[in-house]
Amino acid sequence: MMLAYVMLFKWMLASVSCLLAGALVWGLLAVALRRWPALLPRRAVWLAAQAVTAGAALLALLPHDAQHSLAPTMTLNAAESSAIRAGLPALAGMAQDGASAADRQGGAAAGAAEADAAGGDIDPPSLTLLLPALWTLVYAAGLAWMLARRLRARHVWRGLLAASQRLSPQDLLAHGAFDSAQLADIARHRLAVMETDAAISPMLVGVRRPVLLLPRHLRGFSAEQQQMVIAHELHHWRARDPLCLGVAALLQTVFWFNPALRWMNAKMEWALELICDQRVLAGRPQQQRKQYAAALLLQWKAQTAAMPTGGVAFGGIDGATAAARIRQMQQAALPVLSSAVAWSVAALMIAVLAGGAMLQPALAFNTSQQPYAAPSPAQVPSVAAASLETAPEAPAATEAKPTPADAHWRYPLDKMRVTGLFGVRRTVLVTPHKGIDIAAPAGTPVHAVAGGVVVSAGVLTENGGRYGKTVILQHGDQRTLYAHLTSINVKAGATVEAGQQIGTVGETGFATGPHLHFEVRQDEEFINPATRLANLDAYTTKRALRLRQQQQGY
C-alpha cells in the first residue's frame, strides 16, 4: 500500500511539474517570438519545447536525494504516514481510536521494504491522502477520453483507406501530377499512393510507413499545380514529418491536461507547412508562386464545399490562416535565425529542465518530535506477559528509558517508536524480518546500545545494498547493525561507549522514508532484539503487534 501511494503521489507531482514547465516554456517562447520571428518556422524549436515539457514530468518520477534538491523535503505527518501504512482504513472504522490518536505525534515511516510491517493506528487526514487518488481517477478518465478519440480517428482513416484505390506505377505515370524525379523516388522507396473520392487534402496517413492519400478532385488542377502540391507532400515524407506529428500526438495523449503542449504542436504544424512551402517554391518564378497560392485556395474551397465546418489544405492549415500562408509564399526565403539566438533558446530549454530537476522535492514520511511521558513500570507489562489485548497502544514518540535489568543495552534512539518487529513476514519481502524498524525523522542521532568496537562503517554491500549506509558494532560474542543511516560519525576499528552517537537516521538503501533498521547477530544467527532491549513492546505500534500476533501467536 505504501509503495502504491508513493507512486500515486509522485505522479501527482509529475503532473504539476509538467504544467509548470509547460507554462514557463510557453511564456519564454511567446516572448522570444516577438523578439525573433525567425523562430516560428523552426521545427526543432517546437520539438524541443514539447520534449522539455514532457521531460519535466518524467524527472519528477525519478528518485530524488534531498541533498541535491533546492526544494524542501515534502514530508507527511504522523497521521498521514500511519494511515498509509495501515492501508488507508475507513474513518468510520477508526473512530474508536480517535481520542488516543489525537495525542500521538513523532516518529517516521519505515521504508518500502518494511512498509507492511509498519504501524498505523492514527486517523488519516482525508484531503491529503485522497488528493493523489482523486487526481489519478481524473487523469485516467481524461486519458480514456483521449484514447477513445484517437481510436475513433484511426477507425475513420482506416475506413477512408479501405474505400480508396491504390495507384499502380502505370496509374501514377498516367495521372499527370508526378514528374519523372518524383516517380523514381516513389518507386525506389516503395511509397504507397492511393486516391479517394472524399474531399480531403493531399496528405500522408500513418507514422511508421505513411501512405500518400490524394483526393480525386486534384486531377482538376493544372499539371503544374498538381506537381507542386505533390512535391509539398513528398517533402513532408522525406523530412519524416509524420513521425514528428506522431510523437507530438502521443505526448498530447499522455499529458492531455497540459494546454501548453497543444499550443506547441500547433506552432510546429505551422512550421512544417512553411518549411515545405519554401522548399517547393525555392528558385521558382513569381508566376509559379501565384499558381501554388491559387492551388491552396482551390483546395480549401473544395473542402469547405464538402465540409462546411472547414478543412485543411496541404496538410494542416485551415482557411483562417490561408492568407498568412500566402503572404509567406511571396517571400524569397524564410527569415534567417542567427546561431546566437539558436544557442540562447537551447540554453533556456536546458535551464528549464535543469531547474525542474533541482526543484523536485524529496518525498519523506516524517513526523514531528514531541515529548511524551514514559509509562511507569506498573503500566508496562513485561515482554513475556505482554499480549495484544493487554499491551498499551504505542505512543508516537516515547522517551526511551531501559529498565535496570537491561541497563547495559540502552535503546539506539532517545525516542522509540517501533514499527516493524523481528521475524514478521511482509508482503513486499516475504522473508522474515531480520531485525526491528524504529521510525524517526531524518537526522535523529543514533547511539551505540553498548560499548564495543566498530567492525564496519559505510555502505554495506550485503543483501544487494539494501541496507544503505550502515554501522556494525562488536559487543563480545554479539554484533549490532544500524542501517539506512544518512551520516556516519565513526570509523572501522574505533572503540565506542554505550550511548555514543555513531550516526544519524536516514533513508539510504532500500527505503522510501527515514527510519533505523536495527539487528542483533551472533555468529551467523539473527537474534531477536527484544531479548536485549527491555520492554520493547511498550514502544511498538498496535499494528506491528497485531501482525506478530497473527503470524507468531504472541
Side-chain angles (χ1 to χ4, degrees), residues 443-525:
T444 301
V446 178
H447 305 281
V449 296
V453 177
V454 180
V455 176
S456 68
V459 177
L460 190 64
T461 58
E462 180 182 340
N463 198 19
R466 291 176 180 269
Y467 286 108
K469 293 182 179 179
T470 305
V471 171
I472 299 179
L473 303 180
Q474 184 78 47
H475 315 280
D477 60 348
Q478 292 186 338
R479 291 184 175 186
T480 53
L481 178 146
Y482 312 78
H484 305 311
L485 304 178
T486 190
S487 64
I488 295 176
N489 295 22
V490 294
K491 296 182 179 180
T495 301
V496 297
E497 299 177 353
Q500 178 178 336
Q501 182 175 342
I502 59 175
T504 56
V505 171
E507 52 182 319
T508 57
F510 190 42
T512 60
H515 72 287
L516 173 66
H517 176 76
F518 177 79
E519 293 181 7
V520 180
R521 301 179 178 184
Q522 186 167 353
D523 297 327
E524 298 299 323
E525 296 182 3

Side-chain angles (χ1 to χ4, degrees), residues 399-422:
E399 285 294 334
K401 296 180 180 180
T403 61
D406 262 333
H408 61 287
W409 273 48
R410 57 153 287 155
Y411 291 125
L413 301 183
D414 291 331
K415 298 178 185 293
M416 294 285 288
R417 183 171 183 270
V418 180
T419 57
L421 289 170
F422 178 85

Side-chain angles (χ1 to χ4, degrees), residues 148-376:
R149 287 187 58 189
R150 300 294 182 192
L151 289 175
R152 284 197 300 268
R154 184 181 182 185
H155 178 73
V156 169
W157 288 116
R158 282 192 169 187
L160 187 60
L161 290 175
S164 302
Q165 175 187 358
R166 180 161 184 166
L167 300 181
S168 65
Q170 293 76 18
D171 295 330
L172 293 177
L173 187 60
H175 190 284
F178 301 87
D179 59 29
S180 57
Q182 293 170 346
L183 290 173
D185 203 12
I186 291 172
R188 182 169 59 254
H189 294 93
R190 298 180 181 179
L191 175 64
V193 181
M194 305 187 75
E195 193 173 47
T196 177
D197 292 327
I200 63 168
S201 167
M203 64 181 63
L204 292 165
V205 180
V207 176
R208 190 173 63 90
R209 294 185 61 87
V211 174
L212 178 57
L213 186 60
L214 303 177
R216 200 173 301 276
H217 67 252
L218 189 65
R219 295 176 181 266
F221 291 19
S222 68
E224 189 175 51
Q225 288 176 326
Q226 292 184 58
Q227 290 175 3
M228 287 189 289
V229 170
I230 297 298
H232 179 102
E233 295 304 321
L234 289 180
H235 180 74
H236 278 309
W237 172 56
R238 296 189 194 97
R240 298 186 180 274
D241 289 342
L243 180 60
C244 296
L245 294 174
V247 171
L250 176 62
L251 293 180
Q252 289 182 78
T253 301
V254 175
F255 304 104
W256 57 266
F257 51 86
N258 197 333
L261 285 173
R262 294 191 289 274
W263 178 79
M264 297 170 193
N265 182 65
K267 295 295 185 183
M268 186 180 72
E269 290 181 353
W270 174 248
L272 296 181
E273 297 305 320
L274 292 183
I275 293 172
C276 287
D277 287 343
Q278 286 300 322
R279 291 295 178 89
V280 171
L281 297 176
R284 293 182 181 268
Q286 193 65 28
Q287 185 269 338
Q288 289 186 350
R289 290 176 176 269
K290 292 180 179 179
Q291 289 292 319
Y292 187 74
L296 174 68
L297 295 176
L298 287 173
Q299 175 60 44
W300 178 66
K301 289 178 181 179
Q303 288 177 253
T304 54
M307 298 180 295
T309 56
V312 293
F314 306 166
I317 304 301
D318 59 25
T321 56
R325 189 168 158 188
I326 290 175
R327 285 196 300 270
Q328 188 64 42
M329 292 176 190
Q330 297 173 357
Q331 304 297 324
L334 293 174
V336 177
L337 184 67
S338 66
S339 58
V341 173
W343 281 108
S344 299
V345 173
L348 287 175
M349 299 288 186
I350 295 173
V352 170
L353 202 58
M358 298 180 66
L359 291 175
Q360 291 298 328
L363 183 61
F365 295 88
N366 292 359
T367 54
S368 58
Q369 298 187 64
Q370 287 192 6
Y372 188 91
S376 64

